[in-house]
Amino acid sequence: MELNLSIPALLFPAISLTMLAYNARYLAIAALIRALHKRYQNQSSSPVKKQIKQLRKRLGIIKAMQAMAIVSFLLAVITMFLIYIEKSIWANIFFGVSLIALIISLTLSFIEVQLSTQALEIQLNDMDD
């Protein structure tokens, strides 16, 4: 397959929207951490400690998700430059790595969603008690 400028350019809106969604997740977790901090100062119960542990894990995953999305975006831009200067072998390599970075980012997103669900279970169990 011949790689042309429009192929890596197709990733731009997808990666931009993905990064927007990741940023929204980050902001939601940041707000939750702030609320949980106030609650933790008043009572340091076991459910609160479990939630804090989950939030630390999720925050690390979101950081990695964002980093991989940025790497993917950057590599797509480099791919376009390599196509422009007619270095097709390198362009194909960089584009492939860009796709792998995007796959890793989306996989991390899936894992973070699973952890998010577990965090909700902790809250639901806390309300059952």
Side-chain angles (χ1 to χ4, degrees):
M1 179 179 95
E2 184 65 29
L3 194 60
N4 60 43
L5 282 173
S6 63
I7 294 172
L10 290 173
L11 287 181
F12 282 32
I15 295 171
S16 297
L17 288 174
T18 300
M19 289 172 57
L20 189 62
Y22 291 170
N23 194 41
R25 293 195 72 75
Y26 174 79
L27 291 174
I29 286 182
L32 184 58
I33 288 171
R34 287 183 184 95
L36 205 54
H37 180 261
K38 288 180 184 176
R39 187 171 157 198
Y40 182 76
Q41 287 178 326
N42 295 334
Q43 64 174 42
S44 59
S45 65
S46 180
V48 173
K49 288 180 182 177
K50 286 181 187 175
Q51 286 177 339
I52 291 170
K53 186 177 178 183
Q54 284 281 35
L55 287 171
R56 281 189 199 282
K57 221 186 278 187
R58 288 176 61 197
L59 209 51
I61 291 172
I62 289 174
K63 182 179 168 183
M65 287 165 30
Q66 290 174 326
M68 293 310 294
I70 291 167
V71 166
S72 179
F73 201 19
L74 181 62
L75 290 173
V77 171
I78 292 170
T79 298
M80 292 179 72
F81 178 72
L82 290 169
I83 292 168
Y84 177 73
I85 62 171
E86 298 179 0
K87 301 287 184 188
S88 61
I89 293 172
W90 284 105
N92 283 313
I93 291 168
F94 273 78
F95 186 65
V97 176
S98 174
L99 291 176
I100 291 169
L102 187 57
I103 290 169
I104 292 169
S105 177
L106 293 171
T107 302
L108 289 170
S109 178
F110 178 76
I111 292 168
E112 196 278 330
V113 168
Q114 299 304 309
L115 286 174
S116 175
T117 304
Q118 289 175 1
L120 290 174
E121 282 294 324
I122 290 170
Q123 285 194 313
L124 289 172
N125 289 338
D126 186 36
M127 290 189 293
D128 286 342
D129 295 336

